[in-house]
Amino acid sequence: MARPDRGERLRRLRQWYNNAPLRTKFSFVFCSITFVVTICMSLALVLLYATQQRDDFANAVEAEALTFSQIIQAHPLNGSEAATLSLLRNLSSQVTTHDLNVSVCLVETMENFGLKFKSATALPALAEVDHQEVASCSGGTFSQWDAGSYEVGRLVSRGETMAVAYLGIEADAAVLLDRVLALALLLLFAVLATVALASLVAYRMQGAILRPLGALQRVSNSILASADYDQRVAVEGDDEIGALVETYNKMLSTIAQRRKERDKALATLDRLANFDGLTHLPNRNASLRTLNDAVAAARRNAGEVAAMYIDLDNFKLVNDSLGHEAGDALLLEAAGRLNKTLGDQGVLGRLGGDEFLIIAAAPDGQLSDDRLGELASKCIAALAKPFTLSGHVVSTRASIGIARFPQHADDGDVLLKMADGAMYKAKEDGRDTYRFFDEKINKRNQRRHMIATDLRIALRERQMQVAYQPIVQVDNHQIVGAEALLRWHHPQFRMIGPAEFVPVAESAGLINQLGIWVIEQVCILLKRLQSGAMPFLANDQYFRIAVNLSAVQFRQDDLFETIENIMLEHGVSPSRLRFEVTESIFMDELNRASSVIARLRKIGCGVSIDDFGTGYSSLSYLSKLPVDTLKIDRSFVNELSSYYSSLHEQAQPSVSGLNQPDPRQAQAIALAILSLAKNLGMHVVAEGVEHLDQLRFLKEHGCDSVQGYLFGKPMPERDFIDFISRKK
């Protein structure tokens, strides 16, 4: 196996270091630095010691050389071998450094000495000098010195003769080596002791650093596991680690505070998303979710669930007459009464506006009609008690629709729709009552859905038609106008009356489009009558066509501008139009309606209250609205036909024991309306006149105009033009 190269070894070392724990990294770095520093210091000491030894050797040699020079000067050489040997012995006796082996070779280079040594054997006496071998001298020249020797040259003066003495002193290698080894061992022990001490210091320093870091890690892991940000790490000092821990604790405090704020915001959002802000009841979303959960539980356990859809009657009237604060107080009080009445029999929620929902569940049992009917009756009775709002005593009623799972629907959404349909059936049946959902209501809802779908197609494909019923003056039977009535020729169901499709159009948001289309058609007809078909109407200042306006249309901010623009576009005088409104605007859009009606009257349009006496009539509202005409409802006119025949007859009890409608009551109401209108300076129109005795009664008591089958049925535009032409 090939050994990794240097780059690979460095890469592996770097990888090991990066993956090593902090404690290992700290020890490795600290000990490495300590080791390198200690080795460098040891090498420096060895070099310093060796240099000192070298200097000591050099000083010793210099001293010996000086001594040798003095001896040589004191013992002149005569050229004899005996004198030379004597000199060498004296030199040897003067050696004071016992750690040196001395070898001396004198080389006479001047001719006056005449002393030459042919070989080392010529100097046997030198063997006595510290028992060391004599350096080799051959031919009077110095031939070789050992690597460990030192060479010193001294200039010796004898008169004018110069001589050079070479002295070689070789250090004792063994002694020097022993000293160096001893020093090296001592330094090695110092290195090991230093590393051990460094490791101990590193361990203690690691503890001081890693203990807070370990605490940080433990707290972090604990927070990660428990999500408890109220934990803190103990601060052990004021150093950088302590500052880090303090910053970490502050961060935890900030996070804990932010989490509390977030939880509070989430709770607020949850409350806003699932609870009504006024009554604090579950809102529509939460109620529907609860209903679906109850249905799911009942489906698993073969149980039953009932949805009771509650709508407060006349709430809009209270809201408009007494203000929104009174309306809110009414809703709050109504919610409290319903909760108290309900008890633990179900869950109450507010769907919006004046609508509430009760969810009654029997997960493993049955809900009887009697039990649900009793609960609905208690709720109606609780809401029937007078409310005291801002010093005013107010009465309201409730209509309740009831649907059950699994009899009427398979899920909560459909069950709520079925209960809503039953509630509208209760309203149609006179309000202040409850109705259970049945198949008739289901068929009715399906037909309403079909009408809402086909109504859009009818508008696009021009299936709608405007019919005109003449309005004649009572005293001379002259035509003074007509009422525009909308008709729908359905391709499948043929004729669908406005009483059926107008409420659907209002709930489906199509009534504004329908209303604008009718006004446009009327303006087109008036333009034709004035210019081409019947130019004589141009001088008839009393001829007007009445157009019905829905209370929903008054919710449009631009209703007046839209009507005015249509009249300007077709060049129709505002005095040719009369707009009929019902008494429902008293409850729904009084302030807005008053403003629009006043602006219409200001530009010359007529305004009348349709079906007067059948709704929530109020003389105070009548005095506030700038209307100029009252229309007596056909329900009162129908009873006038029996007026004369009943003058001399006693009222006979019916088979059922209940009195039949008394024509005298209808006559009294009609007389009251006629008297009221005359006193207020208003024009009176009676609709539904079909018999001469009705006409006779109305004429005798001052009715201005009438409309009904006695003078003409609603007819298409072409037939109406022909009818006017014949009458004129």
Side-chain angles (χ1 to χ4, degrees):
M1 182 176 179
R3 296 182 59 185
D5 56 6
R6 180 180 180 185
E8 180 65 19
R9 289 196 299 270
L10 290 176
R11 189 188 66 79
R12 292 181 180 180
L13 179 61
R14 188 181 299 109
Q15 183 179 4
W16 169 84
Y17 181 80
N18 292 334
N19 297 332
L22 184 61
R23 184 181 297 273
T24 303
K25 292 179 181 179
F26 192 88
S27 299
F28 177 79
V29 172
F30 193 83
C31 292
S32 298
I33 295 175
T34 304
F35 181 77
V36 171
V37 171
T38 306
I39 290 298
C40 292
M41 293 178 62
S42 300
L43 291 177
L45 290 175
V46 170
L47 291 176
L48 181 62
Y49 179 77
T51 302
Q52 183 65 34
Q53 290 295 314
R54 183 196 64 186
D55 293 343
D56 291 345
F57 291 153
N59 293 334
V61 169
E62 184 178 1
E64 296 298 338
L66 180 60
T67 303
F68 293 164
S69 298
Q70 293 174 354
I71 294 174
I72 291 173
Q73 293 177 1
H75 298 78
L77 298 176
N78 53 11
S80 64
E81 184 175 346
T84 301
L85 293 176
S86 177
L87 176 61
L88 290 175
R89 289 189 181 93
N90 289 331
L91 290 174
S92 177
S93 63
Q94 297 298 323
V95 174
T96 60
T97 304
H98 300 288
D99 294 333
L100 300 178
N101 295 323
V102 180
S103 297
V104 178
C105 179
L106 295 178
V107 180
E108 180 64 55
T109 58
M110 298 297 182
E111 292 182 357
N112 60 330
F113 279 95
L115 180 63
K116 298 182 182 296
F117 299 101
K118 302 299 183 181
S119 64
T121 56
L123 299 172
L126 292 176
E128 298 178 4
V129 181
D130 206 11
H131 307 288
Q132 297 294 328
E133 293 181 357
V134 179
S136 174
C137 297
S138 176
T141 60
F142 178 76
S143 62
Q144 182 179 0
W145 294 91
D146 292 337
S149 63
Y150 292 89
E151 182 179 7
V152 179
R154 286 289 181 266
L155 183 64
V156 182
S157 173
R158 288 182 54 197
E160 296 179 354
T161 303
M162 301 297 295
V164 178
Y166 292 93
L167 176 64
I169 305 174
E170 184 178 2
D172 189 347
V175 175
L176 182 60
L177 181 60
D178 290 342
R179 291 185 178 181
V180 173
L181 287 178
L183 180 61
L185 290 175
L186 180 62
L187 293 178
L188 178 61
F189 176 77
V191 169
L192 294 177
T194 304
V195 172
L197 181 61
S199 300
L200 178 61
V201 173
Y203 178 79
R204 296 301 299 271
M205 293 181 67
Q206 290 174 54
I209 296 176
L210 297 181
R211 186 170 54 255
L213 297 180
L216 287 174
Q217 184 178 10
R218 288 191 299 273
V219 171
S220 299
N221 293 334
S222 177
I223 293 175
L224 184 63
S226 62
D228 180 15
Y229 286 87
D230 291 330
Q231 304 181 57
R232 297 293 182 268
V233 182
V235 181
E236 299 183 0
D238 296 333
D239 55 1
E240 289 81 357
I241 301 297
L244 175 63
V245 173
E246 184 67 26
T247 303
Y248 183 80
N249 288 336
K250 291 180 179 179
M251 180 186 69
L252 292 180
S253 300
T254 302
I255 294 176
Q257 181 64 26
R258 296 288 175 82
R259 283 174 61 87
K260 291 179 180 178
E261 294 175 356
R262 184 203 64 181
D263 294 341
K264 184 178 180 181
L266 290 177
T268 302
L269 290 176
D270 180 73
R271 185 170 63 256
L272 293 176
N274 297 295
F275 292 91
D276 177 55
L278 176 63
T279 62
H280 304 296
L281 294 174
N283 61 10
R284 187 180 190 89
N285 293 333
S287 298
L288 188 57
R289 187 166 55 249
T290 302
L291 182 60
N292 284 318
D293 293 342
V295 168
R299 183 182 292 111
R300 289 192 302 268
N301 302 317
E304 292 186 0
V305 177
M308 303 177 64
Y309 203 112
I310 304 174
D311 182 84
L312 300 182
D313 300 328
N314 307 334
F315 172 74
K316 190 68 175 178
L317 178 61
V318 174
N319 220 20
D320 289 340
S321 59
L322 300 180
H324 291 285
E325 292 184 359
D328 292 343
L330 174 61
L331 291 174
L332 197 58
E333 178 66 20
R337 293 185 184 183
L338 289 174
N339 250 331
K340 184 177 180 180
T341 303
L342 183 61
D344 58 354
Q345 300 182 67
V347 178
L348 177 65
R350 184 188 176 195
L351 299 178
D354 57 351
E355 297 175 340
F356 296 87
L357 176 66
I358 292 178
I359 303 172
D364 53 357
Q366 294 183 348
L367 294 171
S368 64
D369 289 349
D370 293 340
R371 175 184 171 187
L372 294 174
E374 181 182 0
L375 178 59
S377 298
K378 290 181 179 179
C379 292
I380 293 174
L383 295 175
K385 298 177 182 179
F387 294 82
T388 302
L389 308 173
S390 302
H392 298 83
V393 178
V394 176
S395 296
T396 186
R397 297 291 187 269
S399 300
I400 301 178
I402 306 174
R404 294 194 300 173
F405 168 86
Q407 291 87 343
H408 302 143
D410 291 333
D411 60 71
D413 294 339
V414 178
L415 189 65
L416 185 62
K417 292 179 181 178
M418 300 299 101
D420 186 24
M423 184 271 294
Y424 276 105
K425 184 65 170 62
K427 283 183 175 294
E428 292 175 357
D429 291 347
R431 304 172 184 255
D432 196 25
T433 185
Y434 65 89
R435 290 291 182 268
F436 284 93
F437 178 82
D438 56 25
E439 282 304 318
K440 293 181 180 179
I441 296 177
N442 189 28
K443 291 179 180 179
R444 173 179 172 274
N445 291 339
Q446 291 177 356
R447 182 174 174 84
R448 285 173 60 91
H449 179 71
M450 180 273 300
I451 290 176
T453 302
D454 293 349
L455 197 56
R456 293 178 172 86
I457 301 175
L459 288 170
R460 186 170 60 251
E461 297 182 357
R462 299 183 179 276
Q463 297 176 6
M464 295 293 176
Q465 185 182 36
V466 179
Y468 299 90
Q469 186 175 28
I471 299 176
V472 300
Q473 196 166 346
V474 172
D475 53 0
N476 57 15
H477 297 181
Q478 291 292 321
I479 298 176
V480 293
E483 180 180 2
L485 301 171
L486 189 60
R487 296 291 183 263
W488 181 11
H489 294 277
H490 194 279
Q492 180 181 355
F493 302 103
R494 297 190 178 182
M495 187 66 69
I496 300 179
E500 184 176 7
F501 70 78
V502 168
V504 177
E506 290 178 343
S507 61
L510 299 174
I511 192 63
N512 293 307
Q513 187 176 352
L514 274 175
I516 292 174
W517 183 80
V518 171
I519 296 173
E520 288 178 342
Q521 298 303 310
V522 170
C523 288
I524 292 173
L525 174 62
L526 286 171
K527 183 66 174 178
R528 290 180 59 190
L529 294 177
Q530 292 178 171
S531 58
M534 306 187 71
F536 58 85
L537 289 179
N539 298 323
D540 190 350
Q541 58 179 342
Y542 298 106
F543 188 87
R544 288 180 172 180
I545 296 182
V547 179
N548 290 280
L549 289 179
S550 168
V552 178
Q553 291 180 263
F554 282 94
R555 299 173 187 169
Q556 302 298 315
D557 295 333
D558 58 346
L559 176 61
F560 172 78
E561 288 77 9
T562 301
I563 295 174
E564 187 178 33
N565 291 334
I566 293 174
M567 290 187 294
L568 291 174
E569 179 183 354
H570 296 282
V572 174
S573 172
S575 62
R576 295 297 184 183
L577 285 174
R578 182 186 303 279
F579 294 97
E580 295 186 358
V581 297
T582 62
E583 293 173 301
S584 60
I585 65 171
F586 296 160
M587 296 179 294
D588 296 335
E589 302 293 338
L590 175 62
N591 296 330
R592 190 188 301 271
S594 299
S595 174
V596 174
I597 290 173
R599 297 175 72 182
L600 290 173
R601 293 281 292 134
K602 186 176 182 180
I603 64 174
C605 295
V607 179
S608 64
I609 297 180
D610 196 13
D611 302 331
F612 186 77
T614 60
Y616 298 90
S617 302
S618 172
L619 297 182
S620 63
Y621 289 140
L622 188 61
S623 63
K624 293 178 182 178
L625 290 174
V627 297
D628 62 341
T629 303
L630 293 182
K631 292 190 72 172
I632 302 176
D633 186 66
R634 66 177 62 249
S635 62
F636 303 116
V637 176
N638 289 338
E639 297 300 326
L640 295 179
S641 60
S642 304
Y643 170 69
Y644 289 101
S645 63
S646 63
L647 287 177
H648 304 289
E649 297 179 2
Q650 297 293 330
Q652 300 295 327
S654 65
V655 178
S656 62
L658 296 176
N659 291 332
Q660 297 294 336
D662 189 353
R664 292 183 177 84
Q665 295 179 354
Q667 176 242 356
I669 295 176
L671 290 175
I673 295 175
L674 289 168
S675 175
L676 176 65
K678 292 302 179 182
N679 291 330
L680 293 177
M682 295 183 180
H683 190 80
V684 180
V685 178
E687 57 183 351
V689 177
E690 300 178 358
H691 305 286
L692 289 174
D693 53 354
Q694 296 171 340
L695 178 63
R696 189 180 308 116
F697 175 88
L698 294 170
K699 183 178 180 179
E700 290 178 358
H701 294 88
C703 183
D704 299 298
S705 303
V706 295
Q707 73 179 86
Y709 282 11
L710 182 61
F711 295 98
K713 297 180 180 181
M715 57 194 75
E717 178 181 310
R718 183 180 299 275
D719 295 342
F720 177 66
I721 294 176
D722 294 340
F723 178 82
I724 296 177
S725 300
R726 292 195 305 270
K727 292 296 182 179
K728 290 294 183 180

